[in-house]
Amino acid sequence: MDRSPARIALDDFDRKILAILQKDNLTPQRTIGDAVNLSAPAVQRRIKKMTEAGVIQANVAVVDPAALGHPITIFVEVEIISETAEQIEDAKREFAATPEIQQCYYVTGEVDFLLVIVVANMAAYEALTKRLFFGNNNVKRFRTFVAMERIKAGLEVPLR
């Protein structure tokens, strides 16, 4: 599950390209080239290099969950009982394979995992808790926070 990018040196051109792509990854390479003073083929080579190195991990559409019938966002802290490497990996696999879980972080501190979940309604969340938490002998406890309003959601990474 390690998705750490290979270490490559990013110059100012790469950072400018990434700034544009993080706003809209469908921006034509000619437009990017004009904005950063490079040719479209040079932009293409740099994008390819960053993709192969894992700096660019995916090209995806960011979708509004509410528009697809999942208007409720829930944050969940999960504490597990046994922290053996095998059981941690089992939890990571299960959480990663659950479509309702948008994001999953293995963290330090009082809890072991932080999850960001989207669901259609609270009944759907209750069913999910029965399957993921109550039905899992290694979950010690979980704590739920329901978002009242989405203020900011994104995956943009600061470039400096």
Side-chain angles (χ1 to χ4, degrees):
M1 287 201 172
D2 184 16
R3 297 188 59 178
S4 299
R7 293 287 177 212
I8 64 168
L10 298 178
D11 63 18
D12 285 340
F13 289 116
D14 294 326
R15 291 178 188 284
K16 289 175 184 175
I17 291 168
L18 288 171
I20 293 167
L21 292 176
Q22 285 190 109
K23 299 275 185 229
D24 181 2
N25 75 335
L26 295 178
T27 304
Q29 292 174 358
R30 173 170 283 144
T31 303
I32 296 171
D34 290 344
V36 302
N37 294 318
L38 288 174
S39 68
V43 169
Q44 181 181 27
R45 283 191 299 276
R46 286 170 177 271
I47 291 172
K48 183 175 189 253
K49 174 188 78 169
M50 290 186 284
T51 301
E52 289 172 350
V55 174
I56 297 173
Q57 293 185 340
N59 290 293
V60 299
V62 178
V63 178
D64 178 2
L68 294 177
H70 294 73
I72 300 173
T73 300
I74 299 173
F75 302 89
V76 182
E77 297 176 341
V78 180
E79 185 178 348
I80 59 175
I81 295 169
S82 177
E83 294 186 53
T84 66
E86 182 179 333
Q87 289 174 312
I88 292 291
E89 290 306 314
D90 287 346
K92 288 178 183 179
R93 275 191 295 279
E94 183 172 21
F95 295 152
T98 303
E100 295 89 347
I101 298 176
Q102 280 192 322
Q103 297 180 49
C104 173
Y105 298 92
Y106 178 47
V107 299
T108 62
E110 294 182 27
V111 299
D112 299 297
F113 291 94
L114 291 176
L115 309 177
V116 178
I117 297 173
V118 293
V119 291
N121 52 50
M122 290 309 290
Y125 179 62
E126 182 181 10
L128 188 65
T129 63
K130 288 177 181 174
R131 183 170 55 85
L132 285 180
F133 310 132
F134 293 117
N136 185 331
N137 292 334
N138 199 32
V139 172
K140 182 175 182 178
R141 72 176 59 99
F142 67 98
R143 196 162 85 165
T144 299
F145 304 86
V146 178
M148 294 176 55
E149 180 182 4
R150 181 166 74 166
I151 307 302
K152 179 181 179 182
L155 296 173
E156 276 188 51
V157 176
L159 295 171
R160 286 283 173 189

